[in-house]
Amino acid sequence: MVRTTYAATVAATLAAAMRADERVVVFGEDVALGGPYLTTKGLAEAFGTARVVNTPISEAAICGAAIGAAQSGLRPVVEIMFVDFIGLALDQLVNGAAKAHFMSGGQLRVPMVLRTQGGAGQRGGAQHSQSLESWLVHVPGLKVVMPSSAREVAALLPSAIADDSPVVVVESKTLYFRHEDLPDEGVAPEPLGTARVLRQGRDVTIVATSRMVHEALEAARQLAMRGIDAEVIDPRTLVPLDLATIAASVVRTGRLVVAHEAVCHGGVGAEIAAQVQAACFYDLDAPVVRVGAPFTPVPLSPMLEDAYLPGTAEILDAVDAALD
Amino acid sequence: MATGYPTDDGALEAPAPERLVWMYTQMYRIREFEERVKSTFTAHPGVIRGHTHLADGAEGSIVGSIAALAPGDQILTSYRCHGYPIALGTDTKAMMAEIYGRSTGLCGGLGGSMHLFDPARGFLGGSGIVAQHLPHAAGAAWAAQIRGAGQAVVCFFGDGASKQGAFHESLNIASLWKLPVVYVMENNHYQASTRSDQEDANAAAGEPLAVKATAYSMVGITVDGTDPVAVHATVAAALARARAGEGPTLVESLVYRLSAHGNLIAPPGVPLHYPEHEAVAIFGNQAEYEAALRGDPVPRFRHRLVTDGVLDALDADALEATVREEIDEAERFALESPLPAPDSGLAYVYA
């Protein structure tokens, strides 16, 4: 096994993609310096600053240039340093990248990856801590990936880069420096749109994304001590969503908890709950329970932020509600 | 009709006589095509709903610019995008069918008037969001710079786009990275319903909008956009600088949009049409508009070529008749083409 981190795996996976395909280029703010979380560390040294390019603080131009470059033969992997900044690039992403293939009747392709990261818990305040993936999930034409570990980065980022559609990869700043052992032989790429069952169980299904996957696994461990057998599923990609794997689990357990760090209101959990109830209504023994943050901006003060963040305790409460 | 290859490898010398005739032919084709789009609202009510935007008055700028391209170059445009692909040789039947929303359209009826695309001819498309495509042009130019084959990108937009943040971000990056791109701002002096001097600090101060280039340390030039030969010389020189690694140019091409910003927007069932130009409808400036009509660049260029002995008047009549036949055929083809199957709207969401 190789001991590594999520952030180092991002850098290593990008390096492998750049070695394998000279069309892969990386640009964004500070990427040639490694970025604030070191997710592009070493790339400029290995591949030169013609392929690993620092940009001005111009999120619309970063995303827009990726679109033009992708339509012209490159496979850009661009970085928006915090998902909170994506509003500045959203027109490019939503009205440009997501629609070019469609509006052109299939003539254009936009094989770009937009990497960004979100999540609270680092005392970043309301504008550096959000989980905004539901904005992106709502847009036809975008694929949305949320790796929950170094392993998932290694499995999914190559598939995102190989995809001919625009893919947004939302990483987790909280998970970046978490240690993890990966197999010596590496992790083979896995297709987007496939969920992963991380723990099998009979009594309740917990679907969790990103950081909440680890909270769900901890909740499942504690539930096991109480004799409750929870199944934990990481959808890994929110678009396309592997409903089949989730529904097959719910058919067996009859109960579903959906957990994400984003605010519940209008969140991805609502979409998953709606799809599951439509697919498995007569197999459900209880209403679907959602776990997410309260409907407020992320507060700064440690006391307030800790209270804001959903975690294992909230998942346990939700499971109790689902089993009630 | 056969159009010939539209480019001349970016030659800097004055266009040869046959090239001037080619330019006039393209200007006339664009005008006839757009007149037909306009007349569709009255001749075939309901065939076009939604939005169309015409470039009548800008034909000289469009054709002069396109004539300066070389093989492998790319262009991007705003939603006022009919003229460019016509000059590039895109089939006008497929274009009209696209505007009519037919399955035989250039984009299968998924794009429409504002979203024409022909990447095989280097046309990366028209965007309905003002200035959205300016950073795309920077990215395409970056790809061209990496390819290192001397190719370049021309990005067309209106004066209104220069008030967007994407304009600032794009021109900064393009100049900083010495990207092979030419930004052609077709300044028609109106942003939908307001005059430039009401919206633009440079215009309000009586300055040409090309001064904006100074802020990005790039060359800025103002050219008479009604003169295709002048536009060709300016854009060809800018392309030569771009290909030589000397970076981008902002070309301000002065034109007068002879039609209103776009067709009327109205509830379903209400017939659409083109309203009066804003100069008249909003500002009551009949004299300005009539002066613009007298300066119409299409008949003016014909007159110049005939006067200069480049084009015989009878030959001009003949080529115009041929163009009208082409546009008749485009309209007939589009009208007779089927609407797309309902489920075809689910195609092409993902590549």
Side-chain angles (χ1 to χ4, degrees), chain B residues 8 10-15 19 23 60-61 63-69 223 227-238:
Chain B
D8 65 4
L12 287 174
E13 60 268 24
R19 194 69 179 148
M23 290 165 102
S61 183
V63 173
S65 300
I66 296 293
L69 298 175
V223 63
D227 178 353
V229 177
V231 172
H232 173 263
T234 303
V235 173

Side-chain angles (χ1 to χ4, degrees), chain A residues 131-135 258 260-271 290-297 308 310:
Chain A
S131 295
L132 298 174
E133 62 274 10
S134 68
W135 290 6
V258 187
H260 53 57
E261 186 180 309
V263 295
C264 262
H265 190 100
V268 170
E271 178 62 31
R290 288 186 292 155
V291 174
F295 198 46
T296 75
Y308 166 93

Side-chain angles (χ1 to χ4, degrees), chain A residues 31-113:
Chain A
V31 294
L33 306 166
Y37 296 99
L38 308 180
T39 49
T40 53
K41 185 170 186 276
L43 295 181
E45 291 78 358
F47 301 100
T49 50
R51 284 179 74 191
V52 184
V53 185
N54 283 336
T55 64
I57 303 172
S58 300
E59 280 81 5
I62 293 168
C63 187
I67 294 168
Q71 291 173 349
S72 304
L74 298 180
R75 299 191 86 87
V77 182
V78 297
E79 180 177 307
I80 299 293
M81 193 184 279
F82 287 73
V83 76
D84 312 75
F85 309 162
I86 209 164
L88 294 157
L90 214 51
D91 173 63
Q92 294 295 331
L93 200 56
V94 171
N95 285 315
K99 294 179 176 51
H101 184 64
F102 183 86
M103 292 195 304
S104 67
Q107 295 180 83
L108 286 176
R109 288 166 188 250
V110 188
M112 64 174 277
V113 172

Side-chain angles (χ1 to χ4, degrees), chain A residues 61 65 92 95 101 107 142 165, chain B residues 117 132 136 139 169 348 350-351:
Chain A
Q92 294 295 331
N95 285 315
H101 184 64
Q107 295 180 83
L142 297 180
S165 295
Chain B
F117 298 82
Q132 184 193 67
H136 303 189
E169 294 188 18
Y348 304 124
Y350 293 99

Side-chain angles (χ1 to χ4, degrees), chain B residues 89-168:
Chain B
T90 301
D91 178 13
T92 47
K93 293 197 296 294
M95 288 181 57
M96 194 67 86
E98 184 61 32
I99 293 166
Y100 288 8
R102 307 299 165 121
S103 65
T104 53
L106 190 58
C107 311
L110 294 167
S113 165
M114 297 189 289
H115 308 299
L116 300 175
F117 298 82
D118 193 353
R121 288 183 171 78
F123 178 34
L124 294 182
S127 172
I129 309 291
V130 174
Q132 184 193 67
H133 59 297
L134 273 64
H136 303 189
W142 189 45
Q145 189 182 59
I146 289 174
R147 286 197 302 275
Q151 294 156 343
V153 175
V154 180
C155 180
F156 299 92
F157 52 99
D159 45 302
S162 68
K163 267 58 80 179
Q164 288 277 26
F167 172 88
H168 167 67

Side-chain angles (χ1 to χ4, degrees), chain B residues 162-308:
Chain B
S162 68
K163 267 58 80 179
Q164 288 277 26
F167 172 88
H168 167 67
E169 294 188 18
S170 302
L171 269 66
N172 180 59
I173 279 185
S175 182
L176 182 70
W177 293 351
K178 294 273 183 281
L179 296 178
V181 57
V182 179
Y183 282 105
V184 178
M185 177 205 293
E186 289 161 347
N187 181 0
N188 64 29
H189 311 288
Y190 285 85
Q191 298 175 67
S193 307
T194 56
R195 284 197 318 259
S196 277
D197 61 6
Q198 298 174 302
E199 306 288 345
D200 187 291
N202 302 128
E207 294 178 305
L209 303 196
V211 299
K212 296 179 193 297
T214 309
Y216 308 103
S217 302
M218 71 166 75
V219 178
I221 304 172
T222 302
V223 63
D224 175 4
T226 66
D227 178 353
V229 177
V231 172
H232 173 263
T234 303
V235 173
L239 279 167
R241 282 194 298 278
R243 297 186 210 285
E246 295 167 24
T249 301
L250 175 62
V251 175
E252 179 193 18
S253 179
L254 297 174
V255 298
Y256 196 98
R257 157 164 66 67
L258 296 173
S259 290
H261 167 66
N263 56 271
L264 187 76
I265 299 172
V270 177
L272 304 183
H273 65 274
Y274 263 76
E276 273 194 305
H277 190 278
E278 293 77 11
V280 178
I282 293 172
F283 297 98
N285 197 341
Q286 191 75 34
E288 175 192 298
Y289 185 64
E290 285 174 4
L293 284 180
R294 283 194 298 276
D296 185 336
V298 178
R300 195 147 55 96
F301 193 53
R302 173 190 152 125
H303 179 73
R304 173 171 156 188
L305 295 188
V306 170
T307 305
D308 290 353

Side-chain angles (χ1 to χ4, degrees), chain A residues 31 96 100 113 228 242 246 259 276 282:
Chain A
V31 294
V113 172
I228 298 167
D242 181 2
I246 297 169
V276 166
Y282 294 104

Side-chain angles (χ1 to χ4, degrees), chain A residues 4-39:
Chain A
T4 185
T5 64
Y6 190 122
T9 304
V10 171
T13 307
L14 290 174
M18 295 184 78
R19 267 194 302 277
D21 186 346
E22 65 175 14
R23 298 172 300 170
V24 178
V25 293
V26 170
F27 57 103
E29 295 157 16
D30 291 349
V31 294
L33 306 166
Y37 296 99
L38 308 180
T39 49

